[in-house]
Amino acid sequence: MGDNYLLAFDMQPILLGMSVVLSVLFFPYGLNFYLMIRKAQDYAVPEKKSNEKFPVTVQLPIFNERYVVERLLNACAKMADRYGRNLVQILLLDDSTDETTQIASQAVQKLRDQGYDVGMIHRDVRNGFKAGALEDANKDTKYPFVAIFDADFVPPSDFLERAMPYFSDPKLSLVQCRWTHLNRSYNMVTRAVSIGYDGHHLVEQTGRTAGGYLLNFNGSAGVIRREALEDAGGWQADTLAEDLDASYRMQLKGWKALYIRDIECPAEIPPTIPSLKRQQSRWARGSIRTFRKLLSRILWDKKLSLGQKAEALVHLSYYSVHPLMFSAYIIALIAAFL
C-alpha cells in the first residue's frame, strides 16, 4: 500500500506536466473554432457582379459506383438543360473495376443520343487515384471552368445557373457550395456525421469566407477556374487530399476563393462505421500531408497576414486533435489507476 502511494505521489508532477502540455496544444484549436463561430455570424451571401453565363465542363470522377452513376448523370443532364446544353460538357471519369463501367457506358450513350455533350474516360490503371483522373481529363476538357461532383452527389438543376456568375471576377479561382444530406436520418451514424459536416460548412467555411482566411475546396459541389489551377501546378496526387492541396496552392498564388452557403448540393453520408473510417482516414492523412507540404510556403508568404497564417496552420493540422484527445484519455486512465 505504501509503495503504491509513493508511486502515485511521484507520478503526480509528471502527469500534471503532461496535462499542461496537452492543454496548451489543445488551446489553438478550441480558440480557432470559437473564432470561426464569431466570424460566421458576419457572413453575408456575396453579391453577383453580373448574370453572365460561362461555358463549363462538368467532371464526374467515379470508382465502382454502380448504384448511383445513372442518378448522377441524369442530374447533370437536367442541370445542362437549365443552364444551356451548348454551354455544358459532361465528362464521366471512370476508374471502376466492376460492372459500373458497363452501366456507365450505356447511360452515357443514352444521353449522347439525346443530344447532350457527354463523354466517358475509362482508366484501367488508377495512377494518382482521383487526382490522377482529374489531371488526365484535362486533355479532353473543352471549357475554362470545371465543376466537380463525386458519385454520391445529386446536383440541383439550378447549380450552374447560380454558381457560375461569380466568375465574372477575373481573380476568382473557385466557388465552393454547401453540402446537404440525402440520408441524414438513415441511422445513428448518418445523424451523427451530418452534425459534423454541418459544423464544417455552416461554421468553418462561412467563418473563413467572412474573415478573409484561406478557404479549402471540398472536392465536390464546387467549380474551379482552370487557369488558376494550372497556374498553381495542377492536380497533384502526393497528399491524398488533392482538393485541399490545390485550393491552398491557388490562393498562395494570389487567386481568390469563395464559399456560397446558400447554394446547396445534396449528397449521401457514409452509412456504416467501416465506410466512415475509410473516409476519415483518407481525409486525416491527406490534411496532415498537405500541412507538411505547404508549411514553409505559408509561413514565408509575405502576402498573408499573421492571422491568415495562424488560421491556415490550425486548419491544415486539425486532425492532430485526435491523437491529442487519445493522449489525454491515456493520462486520465493512468491517473485514475494510480
Side-chain angles (χ1 to χ4, degrees):
M1 182 70 178
D3 291 341
N4 289 339
Y5 177 80
L6 290 174
L7 176 61
F9 185 79
D10 291 340
M11 288 291 292
Q12 279 185 357
I14 298 174
L15 294 175
L16 180 60
M18 294 174 68
S19 296
V20 169
V21 170
L22 284 174
S23 297
V24 171
L25 294 174
F26 268 127
F27 180 74
Y29 299 99
L31 180 63
N32 181 73
F33 200 77
Y34 173 74
L35 176 65
M36 292 299 102
I37 291 173
R38 293 294 301 271
K39 292 293 184 182
Q41 295 172 0
D42 299 328
Y43 175 84
V45 178
E47 295 183 5
K48 301 175 184 177
K49 296 182 179 179
S50 74
N51 287 317
E52 184 176 358
K53 289 188 174 182
F54 300 96
V56 57
T57 294
V58 179
Q59 294 183 352
L60 311 172
I62 65 169
F63 175 69
N64 294 351
E65 301 285 358
R66 59 185 180 275
Y67 298 116
V68 296
V69 62
E70 288 185 87
R71 181 184 70 180
L72 174 64
L73 283 167
N74 290 334
C76 292
K78 293 178 182 177
M79 193 167 56
D81 285 335
R82 178 153 181 167
Y83 191 68
R85 291 191 188 185
N86 61 318
L87 296 173
V88 178
Q89 176 196 22
I90 301 172
L91 283 180
L92 187 70
L93 316 181
D94 176 46
D95 283 358
S96 300
T97 57
D98 63 2
E99 61 267 31
T100 300
T101 300
Q102 182 179 358
I103 296 171
S105 179
Q106 293 172 353
V108 166
Q109 186 59 52
K110 181 178 179 181
L111 290 178
R112 191 181 292 129
D113 292 342
Q114 295 174 13
Y116 293 95
D117 184 359
V118 56
M120 178 174 170
I121 303 172
H122 176 72
R123 300 194 310 167
D124 293 318
V125 180
R126 297 186 70 204
N127 290 329
F129 301 101
K130 180 179 177 181
L134 293 170
E135 186 68 19
D136 288 348
N138 283 336
K139 62 182 182 296
D140 297 298
T141 299
K142 294 181 180 179
Y143 297 131
F145 298 95
V146 175
I148 300 174
F149 300 97
D150 286 339
D152 50 354
F153 280 72
V154 184
S157 61
D158 63 349
F159 181 91
L160 294 176
E161 184 180 2
R162 298 178 65 189
M164 294 307 298
Y166 288 102
F167 285 100
S168 58
D169 180 351
K171 291 301 293 180
L172 184 63
S173 64
L174 73 91
V175 167
Q176 174 64 56
C177 301
R178 177 186 166 193
W179 294 6
T180 55
H181 321 298
L182 292 168
N183 59 337
R184 176 190 291 270
S185 301
Y186 181 73
N187 58 24
M188 291 180 64
V189 174
T190 58
R191 285 195 292 269
V193 173
S194 66
I195 296 173
Y197 285 7
D198 288 344
H200 173 68
H201 281 271
L202 296 176
V203 177
E204 294 178 339
Q205 292 290 62
T206 53
R208 291 188 186 107
T209 296
Y213 300 114
L214 299 187
L215 182 72
N216 66 291
F217 175 49
N218 291 117
S220 186
V223 186
I224 290 179
R225 187 189 297 267
R226 290 180 64 194
E227 178 188 358
L229 181 63
E230 292 166 2
D231 182 43
W235 297 110
Q236 299 176 9
D238 56 347
T239 65
L240 288 181
E242 67 288 329
D243 44 13
L244 176 63
D245 174 37
S247 55
Y248 260 70
R249 284 188 281 110
M250 286 189 287
Q251 290 166 93
L252 290 172
K253 278 282 190 176
W255 294 89
K256 295 189 293 185
L258 195 60
Y259 178 75
I260 309 297
R261 184 181 62 191
D262 288 21
I263 302 179
E264 300 178 357
C265 190
E268 291 184 1
I269 299 170
T272 64
I273 293 296
S275 60
L276 178 64
K277 286 173 65 177
R278 286 193 297 271
Q279 181 198 69
Q280 291 299 312
S281 174
R282 186 175 67 253
W283 288 1
R285 286 182 290 165
S287 296
I288 297 301
R289 289 179 182 180
T290 304
F291 172 78
R292 294 204 305 259
K293 176 179 179 178
L294 300 180
L295 174 61
S296 60
R297 288 184 61 180
I298 293 171
L299 288 176
W300 299 112
D301 194 309
K302 296 180 180 179
K303 298 186 297 295
L304 298 180
S305 67
L306 181 61
Q308 287 175 314
K309 293 179 181 181
E311 205 287 322
L313 296 181
V314 168
H315 177 202
L316 293 179
S317 64
Y318 211 90
Y319 277 95
S320 300
V321 166
H322 295 281
L324 293 177
M325 292 173 64
F326 181 74
S327 300
Y329 172 69
I330 295 299
I331 291 172
L333 277 184
I334 295 172
F337 177 76
L338 291 174

